[in-house]
């Protein structure tokens, strides 16, 4: 009996893609030249169908990998060929946008940008935002607890999910589709599924928390020579902008130079005279008043020598320009022979010295050609993009050890946003104790005793 | 061998209170006339000592109940006499306040008000706040995921805990004392301990997320006749105050009348002409500018007939007066023969009709003498205080069924803030599915196979 025939009683034929149909599918949107290697791909349209699929897989002991928008950066959507792939692409319905509750009820396959647009139509905001928004699906976003550019004001995905429906390994549906903000009726089970990278269950639906859409947006670039002054300025801005500060991105000098030297569209807002550049964003309720206030706060900071230089966006197109500099990482990567990315997290006061030491050590590693640091400094989250001359495992490991090497002692994390997947498995013990990892394994065994859900990921 | 002698190798004699020492202890600060019924009380001073205690209890199969500030409202600190009580009163050290990371590292027994004061000293704010702050300890607060008056702006306790240390049933220390906001390195284990009411582990230390201290505070009472207009106004205020709105409390007419008629200290800010009264609070950065802005937003609302009447606090003493009305529930309870409290959660647009129906149904129940509704409406969280003529189980159940009866269909919760404990066990299935409860039980069995941790609570 073929694998696909197992599912013909519960799915229509166009919901089942057999081995011969996989040549145009892939496991990551960056690897569209590599055809997907899997037993089959199933396209369920309801939670019930996901449950039925998983009951069959459970009985047959077939491993499952879930495919959403395939934008995961740590290998969590990789297959080995032995897996049933459940793609959430047909679980793509926005079921409801409730303006009074300020919630949106969605299926797992809805693309983030579609959520943004549906919220905007009702004068609401789903604040989660990042580069891959045009492809990333909310099920994958939740299963990796994605972060992005506005965590500072609105929190990670975990803070934006009110209700969740997931299916566990044996097909049981764990549903808590509630619109309520507060629910202390025993264990908050949705926390198990958020951020566990598909290893404890398959997310099928969610209720998202929306915000009133902001009516103003302001941004500025500010320059510093000392990291300590960046931290002082973060506190100053947070205090003076009350709840309005929505972004505080730090760019190291050499990253800023590269980011602003590729095309006119990313020309530098401030000269290359300083060591650190910060992009601050505020979202508020009144463009004219908020812009005046923002300007005044910056002027006071200049007068009090809190900052060395500043330039404020005077128009929406300025804001777009300011953010394009920070967001278009291709301006860094395009000039690299090969690249290696990092997404670490560490206590804010230690970032300056930690990154400085990494720059110094990386400069001594043969084969490292470019090093660019930047990140969501208010969240303690720094990204590194490192250009290198070859793909040798030896070079990769040297770079890994340099970046991760000091995190354990200072209470950092090898993954602030992206997760562990397959790429960071070897480094998990650098930021989790053996007791923690043992408890994680117990949870995994409890909820997926046959190790069928996204096997080989995390552990 | 006596029970206390089990612990003499790991604790000093003054850390062990035997059965004869318990006459001055109790299980709840409202029941100080009832002496504590337990095997012994232990007063550990370190996580290591908690771990040692629990290893002994695990070996001897002795159940454990943790006592913090004893302010829990659902019976979670109750004992039957067969338990070892671990009191966290000597785990009372604030280990560090880090102004750059904006974190505070505390032991579990630190009293909330001491955390507030230590934060204020460094121009920081720990936003969690509620009536019992002078007694409640942070360990208990975290284990119940407490809410309170400023959830709207800052979130529940779950959102305010960055690092956590807890001891599981067999004495294993699960420690993740990190100051970082973002950590996607596999499962977020602290979520297991937050809100599980001491049934999965004993919390010993935490790292709390602090905020910059606000520089302005404004508040107003606003009047409405229609519930729908309250919801419209909530959206209006949230939109116009951007991130500054910190409280939005709704008081039903008869509750307002009672709350404002007891003493001059709680005299009514608005006349008794309306059906609903809302107390709005905003925290910002500039008292004069923010007050002007708040006033202007209210004037615009009046002009546009969004609201019927409004009065704004003109001074800190006005703000104190406004909040005293809402917070001093004794002005309700003191006039009741017996009282029964509720803490439900439901979707915001349905609150008006749900509460109206409850008022109508309760009026028909023999023995119900007073009914007062009020609550954190922006969080969907309504409190009921019900006065009744007797303590019969029959009357209690009738009232319970009236309040909880319709929650299942509308996706509500029998506990928004207080937890399940022993008092709400019978109603858990009104807001959680049997699959959810089954998964909860599996987690409990996994982590506490001998059922030693706070036995009889939740399940």
């Amino acid at each position: 009996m073929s694998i696909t025939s197992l599912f013909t009683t519960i799915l229509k034929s166009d919901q089942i893609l057999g081995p011969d149909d996989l040549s145009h599918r892939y496991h990551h949107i960056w690897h569209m030249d590599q055809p997907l290697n899997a037993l089959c791909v199933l396209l369920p349209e309801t939670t019930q169908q996901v449950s039925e699929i998983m009951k069959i897989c459970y009985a047959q002991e077939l491993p499952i990998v879930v495919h959403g928008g395939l934008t995961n950066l740590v290998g969590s959507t990789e297959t080995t060929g032995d897996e049933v792939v459940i793609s959430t692409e047909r679980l793509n319905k926005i079921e409801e946008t409730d303006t009074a509750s300020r919630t949106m009820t969605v299926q797992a396959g809805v693309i983030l940008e579609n959520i943004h647009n549906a919220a905007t139509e009702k004068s609401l905001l789903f604040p989660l935002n990042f580069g891959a928004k045009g492809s990333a699906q909310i099920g994958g976003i939740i299963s990796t607890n994605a972060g992005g550019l506005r965590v500072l004001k609105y929190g990670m995905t975990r803070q934006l999910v009110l209700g969740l429906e997931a299916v566990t390994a044996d097909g049981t549906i764990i549903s808590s589709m509630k619109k309520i903000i507060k629910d202390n009726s025993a264990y908050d089970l949705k926390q198990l599924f958020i951020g566990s990278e598909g290893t404890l269950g398959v997310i099928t639906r969610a209720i998202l928390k929306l915000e009133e859409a902001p009516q103003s947006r302001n941004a500025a670039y500010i320059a510093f020579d000392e990291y300590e002054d960046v931290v002082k300025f973060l506190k100053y801005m947070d205090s003076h902008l009350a709840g309005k500060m929505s972004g505080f991105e730090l760019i190291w000098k050499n990253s800023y130079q590269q980011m602003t030297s590729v095309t006119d569209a990313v020309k530098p807002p401030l000269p290359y005279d300083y060591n650190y550049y910060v992009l601050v964003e505020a979202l508020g309720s009144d463009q004219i008043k908020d812009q005046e206030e923002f300007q005044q706060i910056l002027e006071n900071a200049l007068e009090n020598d809190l900052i060395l230089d500043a330039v404020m966006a005077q128009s929406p197109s300025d804001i777009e320009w300011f953010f394009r500099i920070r967001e278009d990482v291709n301006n860094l990567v395009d000039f690299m022979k090969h690249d290696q990315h990092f997404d670490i997290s560490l206590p804010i006061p230690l970032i300056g010295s930690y990154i400085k030491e990494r720059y110094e050590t990386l400069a001594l590693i043969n084969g490292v050609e470019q090093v660019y640091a930047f990140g969501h400094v208010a969240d303690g989250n720094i990204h590194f993009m490192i250009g290198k001359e070859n793909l040798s495992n030896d070079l990769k490991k040297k770079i890994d050890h340099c970046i991760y090497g000091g995190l354990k002692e200072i209470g950092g994390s090898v993954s602030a946003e992206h997760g562990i997947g397959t790429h960071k498995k070897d480094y998990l013990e650098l930021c989790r104790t053996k007791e923690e990892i043992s408890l994680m394994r117990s949870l995994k065994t409890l909820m997926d005793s046959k190790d069928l859900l996204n096997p080989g990921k995390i552990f």
Side-chain angles (χ1 to χ4, degrees), chain A residues 360-369 394-395 398-400 402:
Chain A
E360 287 164 5
T361 312
L362 287 165
L364 303 175
I365 298 178
N366 244 326
V368 170
E369 296 180 329
D394 181 55
L395 179 55
K398 272 186 188 153
I399 296 172
D400 281 345
C402 170

Side-chain angles (χ1 to χ4, degrees), chain A residues 27-31 66 68-78 132 136 140-141 143-144 197 417-423 454 457:
Chain A
H27 79 273
H28 194 285
I29 54 171
W30 292 355
H31 302 287
V66 179
L70 302 176
T71 63
N72 182 281
L73 291 167
V74 292
S76 278
T77 55
E78 284 170 7
I141 289 167
S143 74
T144 51
E197 304 181 37
E417 300 187 323
H418 298 165
I420 297 298
T422 57
H423 298 183
N454 219 2
K457 312 304 172 1

Side-chain angles (χ1 to χ4, degrees), chain A residues 104-338:
Chain A
M104 192 183 291
T105 306
V106 294
Q107 288 185 307
V110 179
I111 289 169
L112 179 56
E113 200 162 39
N114 295 341
I115 293 172
H116 288 169
N117 295 340
T120 304
E121 268 178 35
K122 303 279 177 102
S123 301
L124 292 164
L125 172 78
F126 183 61
L128 195 75
N129 204 353
F130 49 78
K133 61 174 175 275
S135 305
Q137 297 177 7
I138 193 67
I141 289 167
I142 294 171
S143 74
T144 51
N145 186 32
L149 292 166
R150 286 173 176 168
V151 170
L152 171 57
K153 182 169 161 70
Y154 299 107
M156 303 277 279
T157 302
R158 193 179 294 281
Q159 273 88 58
L160 303 172
V161 176
L162 298 180
L164 198 69
E165 189 165 273
V167 185
T168 54
D170 63 1
T172 302
I173 299 170
I174 303 292
S175 183
S176 181
M177 290 292 280
K178 289 182 186 161
K179 292 178 179 179
I180 55 181
I181 292 162
K182 287 173 159 176
D183 185 6
N184 275 350
S185 58
Y187 305 171
D188 190 356
L189 297 174
K190 66 175 176 290
Q191 307 297 343
L192 285 170
F193 302 107
I194 300 172
S196 56
E197 304 181 37
T199 61
L200 299 180
V202 176
I203 292 167
T204 55
R205 290 164 78 217
I207 296 181
L208 307 174
K209 184 169 176 276
L210 307 179
E211 304 283 337
E212 297 298 326
Q215 305 298 315
S216 79
R217 187 180 181 200
N218 287 290
Y221 270 98
I222 299 102
F224 303 85
D225 273 342
E226 303 296 335
Y227 179 75
E228 289 67 30
D229 294 332
V230 173
V231 177
K232 279 184 204 155
F233 181 67
L234 167 61
K235 286 171 64 68
Y236 168 84
M237 288 303 275
D238 210 1
S239 175
H240 285 80
L241 284 169
K244 281 186 274 207
M245 190 159 76
S246 51
F248 194 97
E249 298 289 314
L250 179 60
I251 308 175
W252 273 254
K253 180 180 191 153
N254 77 312
S255 310
Y256 177 78
Q257 284 175 332
Q258 177 63 25
M259 286 171 166
T260 56
S261 59
V262 179
T263 66
D264 259 9
V266 290
K267 65 182 188 290
L270 289 173
Y272 297 143
D273 302 338
Y274 311 104
N275 290 332
Y276 299 98
Y277 296 81
V278 165
L279 172 58
V280 184
E281 183 195 49
L283 299 174
S285 54
D286 184 313
Q287 186 61 39
I288 293 169
K289 281 170 68 176
D290 290 337
Q291 194 163 338
E292 278 171 14
E293 182 195 54
F294 197 113
Q295 183 94 33
Q296 190 60 53
I297 292 169
L298 289 183
E299 281 169 18
N300 292 348
L302 266 171
E303 273 168 32
N304 292 301
D305 295 328
L306 268 176
I307 60 180
L308 297 177
D309 203 349
V311 56
M312 195 168 150
Q314 299 299 323
S315 65
S317 68
D318 278 2
I319 294 180
E320 211 178 300
W321 160 37
F322 283 15
F323 271 85
R324 196 182 301 122
I325 292 168
R326 162 63 184 84
E327 287 182 313
D328 198 350
V329 292
N330 288 332
N331 289 334
L332 304 177
V333 176
D334 285 353
F335 296 85
M336 295 176 176
K337 197 161 169 197
H338 303 287

